[in-house]
Each structure stands twice: as structure tokens, then as C-alpha cells.
Amino acid sequence: MPVYHYKGYRNDGGAATGIIDAESPKVARVKLRKVGVFPTDMVEQGSATVGSPTGSPGRSSAGIGRSPALSTTDVAMMTRQLATLLVAGLPLVEALGVMVDQAEKKSVKSLMADIREEIRGGTSYSAVLRRYPREFSQIYVHMVRAGEASGALDQILFRLAEFLEKQLALKHKVTNAVLYPALMLIVGTSVLFFLMTFVVPKITAVFTSMKQALPWPTVVLMSLSHFLADYWAVLIGGVALSVWAVRRAMKTEAGQTTADRWLLKVPLIGQVARMVAISRLTSTLATMLASGVQLLDAMDVAKRVMNNRVLEHAVEGARQNIREGETIAEPLKRSGEFPALVTHMIAVGERSGEMEEMLRRIGQIYDGEVDRVITRFTSLLEPIMILVMGVLVFFIVVAILLPIFEMGQMVR
């Protein structure tokens, strides 16, 4: 366990110095406050102090602030471990202590130690989690609060772990589908750029010196080559400027909404984006409703996992209509953003009283659809990209060989 050297003052105003062992600087500060010491400077033993030349209080090289945000994988693993310990009958504080002892990552150990100390101080688990928005989303906090209220925190944590693992699997599926085509596009574009700007000009220089009429493929190739060779810096600068402008526009609400609306209209890509958003929405709603979260609160939180402003606005509009007494399915249907299958199944769930189960089935259906579309997309995209690259290379080869053949005929 790390040991920290601290300086501060006591309740009576006197100076206080010493050392203390704790899992993290934050835990050390909590311990000191409990014994009436208010630290102003704290350095881990063996770390250099970073301070100002005037001797102002410093910080350890590791920092006394927040640890780096954890990944979703870390949070899912922590959630499942905590649920397992609670099911085994351990109190929450003791279960967190076991996780602190077993954690291998320093960031996980520090976070769990901080949470444990705050719960020891009398704060509820959900209230503590709300102070760590980078690690624990609003969905997470709402479900934990519902678990605390219902006395079924262990079961809620199991549902949360399954939900996070499912979202991770979906994210990895989409990422892996995009990664290979993107890599092929980058490599292919780089090879063609190199050929057009360095190789082709040297070869076509011979044809220029002949001062004879050249075949049209050669003329087109030479024109493109000269353009890229002369204006490559302008092209790269233009692309960089366009990317900067798009990213700047995407930071505004109007820009993000416009981009999301266009994304949904792109053939195939828009279809996948819509299905992924619907899968996230319905899976999140099913998990939150099954955990005891109220419908309006669940919709307010769940809409944010869709990552599409257009669909988020449609859900928010439906939420306002539900507040006024309407059903769920009807306003979603009127928005025109949700397929008939979704609104029909939600309507059936409302009539039968099995909303959570129906939402879960919708999520499963669209997970399968996403998997099917992505598999078909990647299986078709690879040969298409290879064919396009082959056609471009073939054009370059033909444009270079045609003048050579004509030169051979002239010699004969």
C-alpha cells in the first residue's frame, strides 16, 4: 500500500506533518480529516514534489486529482465482480474492500478505494457513483439507485454487467467491420498517390520528349499525374481544412443534427446506423424498466445511447407525448424514424403488459439484423475494393503500354 508524506493543519490551527498509508491520495485525505487533520500538501514517498518556486503546496508526480477514466471493459468487469460478491452475502463495503485487494490495475484499485471510503462516510452507493460521470453513465447510476430502493442491488448489477458486455460486443462488431475496409482504402490510396506523383511522371517524360500524338488514356493519365504532382500540397491542405471545418461544425447542435440526418440517408450505412441505434435504445429501456426505473426517466436516459440527434429528438418528442397521456408506440410511429416492426411490437407489449420482454426481443432482432447486414457488407466490400483497385492499376498500365506499342510499330 502506498505511503504518503503530508503537511497541513489541525482543528486548533496548529501545523501537522507526518506520514500515512492509503490506497490513494483521496483516501489518505479522508483518513486525515477523520482525525482532525486538514492536509495542504501530500507527496507519495519516493515521488518528487512538483511545486512553485515560492514554496506553494505541491503534488506528487502521480497527481492527487482524479485517476484516468476507466474503459467500459473495466467497468463491466468490476460490475460483475461486485455482483458476485454481493450474491455471496458480503456487505457492500466489505465487497468493495475485496475488490480493492484483488484489483491489478492501479486506476481500478484507486477508484474502488475512493468509493469504499465515501460509502463508509455514510453516502449511498448511487450518490457516490454520480460523482464519477466519466466511469459511470446516467444509465448505470439510475439502475443502481433503483436496485438500492428495491433491495435487489446484486441482481441489478448482474443486469448492468450483461448490458455493458452486450454493448461492448455490438461496438466491437461495428468497429471490426469498418476497420478492414478503412485500412484497405488508406493503403490503396497511398499506393496510387505514390504511383501517380513519383513513378508515372518519370515514365511519361519519355513520351513527352517524342513530341507525337499520344493515345487518350495516356493523355488523361499524364494530366492527372501532373495535377497531383503540382498541387498535392494544396489537396492535402484542402482535405485537412475540410476535416477541421466539419469537426468544428459537428460540435454545434445544428451541425450534429444535420450530419446525423444525412448519415441516416446514406445507403446501407444509414440502415446499419439506424439499426444499431434502435438496438441500443430498446436494450437499454428493457434493462432499465426491468430494474424498476420509471418509464419517463428511462426514456430520458436511454435516448442518449443512440448517438444520433435525429432519433434522440424523436424519442424526446414521444416522451413528452407520453407525459401527456399517450401510449409509447403511437408517437414513435408518427415520428417516421422507427420501422413499423418496432412500433408494432411496442404496441403489442403495451397491450399485453410485457413491455420489458418485447423491448428485449426487439433488441435481439436488430442485433441479429446488424450482424447479418455487416457480414454481407464486408463480404461484398472486399471484392469490390479489390476490383476497383485492379481497374485503376489496369488503366495506368494500359496508358503506359499503349505508347510503347506504337513506338515498336514505328520502328518496324
Side-chain angles (χ1 to χ4, degrees), residues 376-394:
R376 185 180 64 182
F377 175 69
T378 52
S379 62
L380 291 176
L381 188 60
E382 181 178 351
I384 289 174
M385 293 187 70
I386 292 175
L387 178 62
V388 171
M389 290 292 298
V391 170
L392 293 175
V393 173
F394 177 76

Side-chain angles (χ1 to χ4, degrees), residues 10 27 38 70 100 138 162 205 209 241 276 278 298-299 314 334:
R10 297 188 298 272
V27 174
F38 298 88
L70 305 183
V100 171
Q138 291 191 36
E162 293 175 358
S209 63
L241 183 61
V276 170
I278 292 174
M299 291 184 69
R334 286 201 305 267

Side-chain angles (χ1 to χ4, degrees), residues 69-124:
L70 305 183
S71 66
T72 306
T73 304
D74 292 329
V75 175
M77 187 177 300
M78 289 164 45
T79 304
R80 186 167 290 280
Q81 289 175 347
L82 182 58
T84 303
L85 292 172
L86 293 178
V87 169
L90 273 68
L92 179 59
V93 173
E94 187 176 342
L96 290 170
V98 172
M99 293 179 64
V100 171
D101 295 335
Q102 293 180 348
E104 296 181 359
K105 283 188 175 183
K106 186 176 179 180
S107 55
V108 174
K109 182 185 291 288
S110 175
L111 178 63
M112 289 292 97
D114 292 348
I115 293 174
R116 182 185 63 178
E117 291 302 317
E118 294 190 44
I119 292 176
R120 279 179 175 174
T123 309
S124 68

Side-chain angles (χ1 to χ4, degrees), residues 18-314:
I19 59 174
I20 186 172
D21 60 335
E23 291 88 351
S24 69
K26 187 172 183 178
V27 174
R29 288 177 179 273
V30 173
K31 287 184 175 181
L32 289 171
R33 290 194 184 99
K34 288 182 178 179
V35 297
V37 175
F38 298 88
T40 58
D41 187 14
M42 187 176 297
V43 182
E44 184 176 351
Q45 292 296 296
S47 298
T49 301
V50 181
S52 65
T54 59
S56 60
R59 292 181 180 265
S60 67
S61 60
I64 301 182
R66 291 288 312 281
S67 59
L70 305 183
S71 66
T72 306
T73 304
D74 292 329
V75 175
M77 187 177 300
M78 289 164 45
T79 304
R80 186 167 290 280
Q81 289 175 347
L82 182 58
T84 303
L85 292 172
L86 293 178
V87 169
L90 273 68
L92 179 59
V93 173
E94 187 176 342
L96 290 170
V98 172
M99 293 179 64
V100 171
D101 295 335
Q102 293 180 348
E104 296 181 359
K105 283 188 175 183
K106 186 176 179 180
S107 55
V108 174
K109 182 185 291 288
S110 175
L111 178 63
M112 289 292 97
D114 292 348
I115 293 174
R116 182 185 63 178
E117 291 302 317
E118 294 190 44
I119 292 176
R120 279 179 175 174
T123 309
S124 68
Y125 188 38
S126 59
V128 174
L129 297 182
R130 196 183 303 115
R131 301 173 186 174
Y132 300 88
R134 293 189 301 173
E135 291 82 7
F136 304 102
S137 64
Q138 291 191 36
I139 297 171
Y140 200 106
V141 175
H142 274 72
M143 290 182 62
V144 168
R145 186 187 300 120
E148 290 175 327
S150 63
L153 181 59
D154 51 354
Q155 299 303 319
I156 297 298
L157 289 175
F158 271 124
R159 288 177 183 167
L160 265 173
E162 293 175 358
F163 170 75
L164 292 173
E165 290 163 358
K166 181 179 178 181
Q167 294 297 312
L168 275 173
L170 182 61
K171 180 180 178 181
H172 291 161
K173 189 183 301 180
V174 175
T175 302
N176 291 337
V178 174
L179 189 61
Y180 178 70
L183 182 61
M184 284 190 63
L185 182 62
I186 292 173
V187 172
T189 303
S190 301
V191 170
L192 287 174
F193 184 79
F194 175 77
L195 288 175
M196 295 293 289
T197 55
F198 293 96
V199 177
V200 172
K202 294 181 179 180
I203 298 176
T204 56
V206 178
F207 305 149
T208 305
S209 63
M210 294 173 56
K211 297 181 180 180
Q212 292 184 355
L214 297 173
W216 70 264
T218 308
V219 174
V220 172
L221 179 66
M222 292 174 63
S223 300
L224 288 173
S225 176
H226 291 156
F227 178 80
L228 291 175
D230 295 339
Y231 298 101
W232 64 270
V234 176
L235 290 174
I236 294 177
V239 170
L241 183 61
S242 300
V243 171
W244 175 83
V246 169
R247 293 187 63 180
R248 185 178 179 85
M250 292 279 285
K251 292 180 180 180
T252 64
E253 181 69 21
Q256 184 67 60
T257 302
T258 302
D260 289 341
R261 184 177 292 109
W262 279 103
L263 177 64
L264 294 176
K265 294 180 180 179
V266 177
L268 192 59
I269 296 177
Q271 179 187 4
V272 173
R274 190 183 298 273
M275 289 192 297
V276 170
I278 292 174
S279 173
R280 286 178 174 175
L281 173 69
T282 53
S283 298
T284 304
L285 275 178
T287 303
M288 296 187 73
L289 293 177
S291 302
V293 180
Q294 296 297 319
L295 174 61
L296 293 177
D297 293 337
M299 291 184 69
D300 185 44
V301 175
K303 68 181 182 182
R304 303 174 192 179
V305 305
M306 302 178 77
N307 291 332
N308 188 287
R309 294 291 195 279
V310 175
L311 299 179
E312 285 180 25
H313 293 160

